[in-house]
Amino acid sequence: MKNYKVGIVGATGMVGQRFATLLDNHPWFDVTVLAASPRSAGKTYKEAVGSKWCMATDIPEKMADIVVMDATADIEKIAASVDFIFCAVDMKKDEIKALEEAYAKAECPVVSNNSAHRMTPDVPMIVPELNTDHAKIIDSQKKRLGTKRGFISVKSNCSLQSYVPALYPLNKFGVKDVLVCTYQAISGAGKTFDTWPEMIDNVIPYIGGEEEKSEKEPLKIWGEIVGDEIVPATSPNFTAQCLRVPASDGHMAAVFVRFENKPSIDEMKEIWKNFKGYPQEAELPSAPKQFLNYFEEDNMPQTKLQRNLENGMAVSIGRLREDTQYDYKFVCLSHNTLRGAAGGAVLMAEQLCAQGYITPKSN
């Protein structure tokens, strides 16, 4: 596999930091550009991050002395020097939309962790094991943007990564109604317990915009390409309630599901055990070998014990049992800044490179 020169735009934030640690010594991707807000531009990455570094490992040695560029003012310069960018900026939605389109129009593919373009009809929102085929819409998007190389691809909301992968392969039974309650870690808000002491010994039953995303975004993942756009599915029917809980990392979901044709418990477990997607078949560098992992113990999965399963890229499932109102209920867990954010975006980029949607520039 060829090597790709990569930029991280929004490199100083929590997800940007996670990108930095994941891409350190990546077999395909070489980080050559780091960009952030004007207040960080001109400083070395080490200086720009300073005491805000919140990863368990140190700043990658190869990136520490890279001089941070201005994510907005240096678009042309950044686009000319890399093969593609990862984008994880903290800006208003309209500003993010404009920024990502500007990079795409500068012929720089954008692999985005942001929500701004998730519902744009010709922007694929990919969970690589589930809807790899949505990448085909990129040709339509390029036509709209008037580009040859440039496009935008986004990952879905972090909490979806726990329960949608568990439900998606069960669709052969007609997933009809889904009620989901998510219990989301504080890193999903870009916080630690040091920066958000109010979350210690506390639960907040509201996360702005999260319930709407949790109900709408799965339908785009379930959707299909019609003409020049991805048309969201009209079912399953999702309803969601999202709570912030005092965990550092790891989003858990309690799922209740009703089917058109009710499967048996054994059938569901067998499907989860055998489910593979494109990343496993193509043996992509960041792909978990076992994507969906079912735990038989009554008290599993647990956030602290399973969130880092397969380098934080696997999904854990447990407590599958019949329900009195729905057909079944179960719980799911995924690491929100790995599978749910930066790790999921890195895996998507690997997929897009392997399929030829992102190619290294000729020297």
PDB file of all heavy atoms in Angstrom, residues 306-324:
ATOM      1  N   GLN A 306     -14.403  -3.214  28.954  1.00  0.00           N
ATOM      2  CA  GLN A 306     -14.483  -3.570  27.527  1.00  0.00           C
ATOM      3  C   GLN A 306     -14.296  -2.410  26.540  1.00  0.00           C
ATOM      4  O   GLN A 306     -14.218  -2.651  25.350  1.00  0.00           O
ATOM      5  CB  GLN A 306     -15.815  -4.267  27.231  1.00  0.00           C
ATOM      6  CG  GLN A 306     -15.809  -5.771  27.492  1.00  0.00           C
ATOM      7  CD  GLN A 306     -16.028  -6.131  28.935  1.00  0.00           C
ATOM      8  OE1 GLN A 306     -16.838  -5.505  29.624  1.00  0.00           O
ATOM      9  NE2 GLN A 306     -15.323  -7.149  29.399  1.00  0.00           N
ATOM     10  N   ARG A 307     -14.220  -1.179  27.019  1.00  0.00           N
ATOM     11  CA  ARG A 307     -14.165  -0.066  26.049  1.00  0.00           C
ATOM     12  C   ARG A 307     -12.926  -0.127  25.150  1.00  0.00           C
ATOM     13  O   ARG A 307     -12.961   0.339  24.017  1.00  0.00           O
ATOM     14  CB  ARG A 307     -14.240   1.283  26.760  1.00  0.00           C
ATOM     15  CG  ARG A 307     -13.093   1.563  27.715  1.00  0.00           C
ATOM     16  CD  ARG A 307     -13.351   2.817  28.534  1.00  0.00           C
ATOM     17  NE  ARG A 307     -12.380   2.961  29.612  1.00  0.00           N
ATOM     18  CZ  ARG A 307     -12.542   3.758  30.664  1.00  0.00           C
ATOM     19  NH1 ARG A 307     -13.649   4.480  30.783  1.00  0.00           N
ATOM     20  NH2 ARG A 307     -11.620   3.834  31.604  1.00  0.00           N
ATOM     21  N   ASN A 308     -11.827  -0.703  25.634  1.00  0.00           N
ATOM     22  CA  ASN A 308     -10.598  -0.753  24.844  1.00  0.00           C
ATOM     23  C   ASN A 308     -10.423  -2.058  24.072  1.00  0.00           C
ATOM     24  O   ASN A 308      -9.339  -2.322  23.549  1.00  0.00           O
ATOM     25  CB  ASN A 308      -9.380  -0.518  25.747  1.00  0.00           C
ATOM     26  CG  ASN A 308      -9.304   0.927  26.210  1.00  0.00           C
ATOM     27  OD1 ASN A 308      -9.460   1.855  25.418  1.00  0.00           O
ATOM     28  ND2 ASN A 308      -9.081   1.127  27.498  1.00  0.00           N
ATOM     29  N   LEU A 309     -11.489  -2.846  23.973  1.00  0.00           N
ATOM     30  CA  LEU A 309     -11.421  -4.115  23.250  1.00  0.00           C
ATOM     31  C   LEU A 309     -10.975  -3.884  21.801  1.00  0.00           C
ATOM     32  O   LEU A 309     -11.508  -3.015  21.119  1.00  0.00           O
ATOM     33  CB  LEU A 309     -12.800  -4.780  23.285  1.00  0.00           C
ATOM     34  CG  LEU A 309     -12.902  -6.226  22.818  1.00  0.00           C
ATOM     35  CD1 LEU A 309     -12.083  -7.155  23.689  1.00  0.00           C
ATOM     36  CD2 LEU A 309     -14.369  -6.660  22.819  1.00  0.00           C
ATOM     37  N   GLU A 310      -9.974  -4.679  21.369  1.00  0.00           N
ATOM     38  CA  GLU A 310      -9.413  -4.544  20.015  1.00  0.00           C
ATOM     39  C   GLU A 310      -9.015  -3.097  19.722  1.00  0.00           C
ATOM     40  O   GLU A 310      -9.453  -2.485  18.730  1.00  0.00           O
ATOM     41  CB  GLU A 310     -10.389  -5.077  18.963  1.00  0.00           C
ATOM     42  CG  GLU A 310     -10.665  -6.568  19.114  1.00  0.00           C
ATOM     43  CD  GLU A 310     -10.480  -7.350  17.834  1.00  0.00           C
ATOM     44  OE1 GLU A 310      -9.655  -6.938  17.001  1.00  0.00           O
ATOM     45  OE2 GLU A 310     -11.169  -8.360  17.678  1.00  0.00           O
ATOM     46  N   ASN A 311      -8.201  -2.548  20.614  1.00  0.00           N
ATOM     47  CA  ASN A 311      -7.716  -1.161  20.477  1.00  0.00           C
ATOM     48  C   ASN A 311      -8.856  -0.146  20.420  1.00  0.00           C
ATOM     49  O   ASN A 311      -8.731   0.906  19.791  1.00  0.00           O
ATOM     50  CB  ASN A 311      -6.822  -1.021  19.236  1.00  0.00           C
ATOM     51  CG  ASN A 311      -5.584  -1.896  19.332  1.00  0.00           C
ATOM     52  OD1 ASN A 311      -4.929  -1.938  20.367  1.00  0.00           O
ATOM     53  ND2 ASN A 311      -5.292  -2.625  18.268  1.00  0.00           N
ATOM     54  N   GLY A 312      -9.961  -0.478  21.095  1.00  0.00           N
ATOM     55  CA  GLY A 312     -11.094   0.442  21.143  1.00  0.00           C
ATOM     56  C   GLY A 312     -11.926   0.476  19.880  1.00  0.00           C
ATOM     57  O   GLY A 312     -12.786   1.340  19.725  1.00  0.00           O
ATOM     58  N   MET A 313     -11.714  -0.477  18.960  1.00  0.00           N
ATOM     59  CA  MET A 313     -12.415  -0.466  17.678  1.00  0.00           C
ATOM     60  C   MET A 313     -13.521  -1.519  17.586  1.00  0.00           C
ATOM     61  O   MET A 313     -14.220  -1.609  16.587  1.00  0.00           O
ATOM     62  CB  MET A 313     -11.408  -0.670  16.539  1.00  0.00           C
ATOM     63  CG  MET A 313     -10.460   0.507  16.355  1.00  0.00           C
ATOM     64  SD  MET A 313     -11.320   2.044  15.924  1.00  0.00           S
ATOM     65  CE  MET A 313     -11.797   1.676  14.229  1.00  0.00           C
ATOM     66  N   ALA A 314     -13.679  -2.342  18.621  1.00  0.00           N
ATOM     67  CA  ALA A 314     -14.726  -3.364  18.610  1.00  0.00           C
ATOM     68  C   ALA A 314     -15.968  -2.864  19.338  1.00  0.00           C
ATOM     69  O   ALA A 314     -15.924  -1.894  20.099  1.00  0.00           O
ATOM     70  CB  ALA A 314     -14.210  -4.645  19.268  1.00  0.00           C
ATOM     71  N   VAL A 315     -17.090  -3.523  19.100  1.00  0.00           N
ATOM     72  CA  VAL A 315     -18.353  -3.239  19.783  1.00  0.00           C
ATOM     73  C   VAL A 315     -18.670  -4.417  20.694  1.00  0.00           C
ATOM     74  O   VAL A 315     -18.551  -5.584  20.289  1.00  0.00           O
ATOM     75  CB  VAL A 315     -19.497  -3.023  18.774  1.00  0.00           C
ATOM     76  CG1 VAL A 315     -20.845  -2.915  19.477  1.00  0.00           C
ATOM     77  CG2 VAL A 315     -19.232  -1.783  17.925  1.00  0.00           C
ATOM     78  N   SER A 316     -19.041  -4.132  21.937  1.00  0.00           N
ATOM     79  CA  SER A 316     -19.385  -5.169  22.913  1.00  0.00           C
ATOM     80  C   SER A 316     -20.899  -5.188  23.130  1.00  0.00           C
ATOM     81  O   SER A 316     -21.528  -4.135  23.222  1.00  0.00           O
ATOM     82  CB  SER A 316     -18.679  -4.903  24.245  1.00  0.00           C
ATOM     83  OG  SER A 316     -17.272  -4.892  24.065  1.00  0.00           O
ATOM     84  N   ILE A 317     -21.461  -6.390  23.240  1.00  0.00           N
ATOM     85  CA  ILE A 317     -22.901  -6.575  23.392  1.00  0.00           C
ATOM     86  C   ILE A 317     -23.140  -7.546  24.547  1.00  0.00           C
ATOM     87  O   ILE A 317     -22.346  -8.463  24.768  1.00  0.00           O
ATOM     88  CB  ILE A 317     -23.539  -7.144  22.104  1.00  0.00           C
ATOM     89  CG1 ILE A 317     -23.106  -6.339  20.868  1.00  0.00           C
ATOM     90  CG2 ILE A 317     -25.063  -7.181  22.208  1.00  0.00           C
ATOM     91  CD1 ILE A 317     -23.455  -7.003  19.545  1.00  0.00           C
ATOM     92  N   GLY A 318     -24.226  -7.370  25.267  1.00  0.00           N
ATOM     93  CA  GLY A 318     -24.554  -8.292  26.338  1.00  0.00           C
ATOM     94  C   GLY A 318     -26.013  -8.176  26.765  1.00  0.00           C
ATOM     95  O   GLY A 318     -26.777  -7.368  26.248  1.00  0.00           O
ATOM     96  N   ARG A 319     -26.403  -9.026  27.714  1.00  0.00           N
ATOM     97  CA  ARG A 319     -27.722  -9.005  28.346  1.00  0.00           C
ATOM     98  C   ARG A 319     -28.890  -9.137  27.356  1.00  0.00           C
ATOM     99  O   ARG A 319     -29.945  -8.536  27.544  1.00  0.00           O
ATOM    100  CB  ARG A 319     -27.904  -7.759  29.213  1.00  0.00           C
ATOM    101  CG  ARG A 319     -26.854  -7.607  30.315  1.00  0.00           C
ATOM    102  CD  ARG A 319     -27.396  -6.835  31.497  1.00  0.00           C
ATOM    103  NE  ARG A 319     -28.436  -7.598  32.178  1.00  0.00           N
ATOM    104  CZ  ARG A 319     -29.504  -7.039  32.766  1.00  0.00           C
ATOM    105  NH1 ARG A 319     -29.685  -5.728  32.740  1.00  0.00           N
ATOM    106  NH2 ARG A 319     -30.392  -7.787  33.379  1.00  0.00           N
ATOM    107  N   LEU A 320     -28.704  -9.920  26.316  1.00  0.00           N
ATOM    108  CA  LEU A 320     -29.800 -10.153  25.368  1.00  0.00           C
ATOM    109  C   LEU A 320     -30.861 -11.027  26.032  1.00  0.00           C
ATOM    110  O   LEU A 320     -30.581 -12.116  26.521  1.00  0.00           O
ATOM    111  CB  LEU A 320     -29.262 -10.851  24.111  1.00  0.00           C
ATOM    112  CG  LEU A 320     -30.318 -11.312  23.097  1.00  0.00           C
ATOM    113  CD1 LEU A 320     -31.105 -10.115  22.541  1.00  0.00           C
ATOM    114  CD2 LEU A 320     -29.662 -12.103  21.969  1.00  0.00           C
ATOM    115  N   ARG A 321     -32.103 -10.519  26.042  1.00  0.00           N
ATOM    116  CA  ARG A 321     -33.206 -11.280  26.630  1.00  0.00           C
ATOM    117  C   ARG A 321     -34.526 -10.771  26.067  1.00  0.00           C
ATOM    118  O   ARG A 321     -34.586  -9.680  25.503  1.00  0.00           O
ATOM    119  CB  ARG A 321     -33.197 -11.165  28.156  1.00  0.00           C
ATOM    120  CG  ARG A 321     -33.322  -9.748  28.688  1.00  0.00           C
ATOM    121  CD  ARG A 321     -32.375  -9.535  29.864  1.00  0.00           C
ATOM    122  NE  ARG A 321     -32.659  -8.265  30.562  1.00  0.00           N
ATOM    123  CZ  ARG A 321     -32.149  -7.099  30.199  1.00  0.00           C
ATOM    124  NH1 ARG A 321     -31.364  -6.994  29.126  1.00  0.00           N
ATOM    125  NH2 ARG A 321     -32.424  -6.006  30.904  1.00  0.00           N
ATOM    126  N   GLU A 322     -35.560 -11.563  26.243  1.00  0.00           N
ATOM    127  CA  GLU A 322     -36.881 -11.173  25.752  1.00  0.00           C
ATOM    128  C   GLU A 322     -37.423 -10.029  26.610  1.00  0.00           C
ATOM    129  O   GLU A 322     -37.073  -9.886  27.786  1.00  0.00           O
ATOM    130  CB  GLU A 322     -37.836 -12.364  25.760  1.00  0.00           C
ATOM    131  CG  GLU A 322     -37.420 -13.441  24.774  1.00  0.00           C
ATOM    132  CD  GLU A 322     -38.595 -14.267  24.258  1.00  0.00           C
ATOM    133  OE1 GLU A 322     -39.752 -13.947  24.607  1.00  0.00           O
ATOM    134  OE2 GLU A 322     -38.354 -15.210  23.499  1.00  0.00           O
ATOM    135  N   ASP A 323     -38.296  -9.225  25.987  1.00  0.00           N
ATOM    136  CA  ASP A 323     -38.870  -8.065  26.672  1.00  0.00           C
ATOM    137  C   ASP A 323     -40.389  -8.210  26.718  1.00  0.00           C
ATOM    138  O   ASP A 323     -40.988  -8.891  25.873  1.00  0.00           O
ATOM    139  CB  ASP A 323     -38.463  -6.786  25.927  1.00  0.00           C
ATOM    140  CG  ASP A 323     -38.949  -5.535  26.635  1.00  0.00           C
ATOM    141  OD1 ASP A 323     -38.563  -5.337  27.803  1.00  0.00           O
ATOM    142  OD2 ASP A 323     -39.727  -4.761  26.044  1.00  0.00           O
ATOM    143  N   THR A 324     -41.020  -7.553  27.672  1.00  0.00           N
ATOM    144  CA  THR A 324     -42.477  -7.665  27.814  1.00  0.00           C
ATOM    145  C   THR A 324     -43.239  -6.800  26.813  1.00  0.00           C
ATOM    146  O   THR A 324     -44.407  -7.061  26.518  1.00  0.00           O
ATOM    147  CB  THR A 324     -42.909  -7.255  29.238  1.00  0.00           C
ATOM    148  OG1 THR A 324     -42.421  -5.933  29.513  1.00  0.00           O
ATOM    149  CG2 THR A 324     -42.362  -8.232  30.262  1.00  0.00           C
TER     150      THR A 324
END
